[in-house]
Amino acid sequence: EDQVTQSPEALRLQEGESSSLNCSYTVSGLRGLFWYRQDPGKGPEFLFTLYSAGEEKEKERLKATLTKKESFLHITAPKPEDSATYLCAVPRGSGAGSYQLTFGKGTKLSVIP
Amino acid sequence: DVKVTQSSRYLVKRTGEKVFLECVQDMDHENMFWYRQDPGLGLRLIYFSYDVKMKEKGDIPEGYSVSREKKERFSLILESASTNQTSMYLCASKIGGASTDTQYFGPGTRLTVL
């Protein structure tokens, strides 16, 4: 069974203090990995798709990387507005109909001014 | 921009009521999904549809049904609402059947069943 584990569950950072969030997965054949951001009471907002090991994507203060076993979301010099829950997800399914996503439980990031 | 809308942001219903949650996407996406999200349990897939009138069970379909009569609209139905169905419900859509097609989410419906 495909599994996605995110760590830590919660992370408090001072503004400007860089850190990384981890997403480890066990899947039978990686078909990509997604990162989302979710603000309280809202739907997840798409950030990145990583297609294969070694790939990196950047957006503002965020950089996502992918290896064969895990992905990292690096946050450089975070600001309070980066506070959110960050979710990662991997596709699963046979493809006969469609691929669904298995989500991790998320890392709740709080950035303190 | 992809737009996924859900009929209500907040909904309060009584136990035993029939509840309809509606989701509409405006980007001609083939696939649509319904999830529920609960603290400590994360996002769990209830049902999905990869074509009009097609539906597939997700991980937790019990107590729910769905309807997709038109491509842009995917409805989640709680036949007889129960208190354990109090949750945040999220709809998503994606363009096609490829594993790397991005799922785009609606704003969510916070359902409370009393």
Side-chain angles (χ1 to χ4, degrees), chain A residues 31 36 38 41 92 98-99, chain B residues 9 31 37 59 97 99 103:
Chain A
R31 302 177 187 91
Y36 287 84
Q38 187 175 25
R92 61 182 167 110
S98 176
Y99 287 93
Chain B
R9 290 301 311 275
N31 300 173
Q37 186 175 32
D59 301 313
S99 65
Q103 283 192 28

Side-chain angles (χ1 to χ4, degrees), chain B residues 73-102:
Chain B
R73 190 179 300 268
F74 192 34
S75 300
L76 180 70
I77 302 153
L78 287 66
E79 296 289 342
S80 178
S82 64
T83 55
N84 63 12
Q85 291 178 311
T86 292
S87 187
M88 173 70 133
Y89 289 88
L90 291 159
C91 175
S93 73
K94 73 185 180 82
I95 190 165
S99 65
T100 50
D101 290 335
T102 300

Side-chain angles (χ1 to χ4, degrees), chain A residues 4-109:
Chain A
V4 180
T5 304
Q6 292 188 246
S7 61
E9 290 185 17
L11 182 63
R12 285 171 63 93
L13 298 173
Q14 290 295 129
E15 184 172 1
E17 179 188 1
S18 301
S19 189
S20 297
L21 314 182
N22 178 261
C23 171
S24 63
Y25 54 86
T26 55
V27 295
S28 53
L30 182 66
R31 302 177 187 91
L33 184 141
F34 297 86
W35 280 99
Y36 287 84
R37 170 195 169 121
Q38 187 175 25
D39 293 305
K42 296 188 178 180
E45 175 189 347
F46 169 71
L47 290 174
F48 303 111
T49 306
L50 299 168
Y51 295 93
S52 58
E55 188 175 6
E56 298 182 352
K57 292 267 179 83
E58 284 189 66
K59 180 179 180 179
E60 295 180 357
R61 294 175 293 282
L62 300 177
K63 180 171 139 180
T65 62
L66 181 64
T67 72
K68 289 184 179 179
K69 300 272 185 177
E70 58 194 346
S71 178
F72 291 93
L73 186 65
H74 307 278
I75 303 176
T76 302
K79 298 183 177 181
E81 53 262 42
D82 295 322
S83 297
T85 295
Y86 291 86
L87 302 169
C88 72
V90 296
R92 61 182 167 110
S94 66
S98 176
Y99 287 93
Q100 310 100 57
L101 291 178
T102 297
F103 281 86
K105 293 182 180 178
T107 294
K108 184 175 181 180
L109 174 66

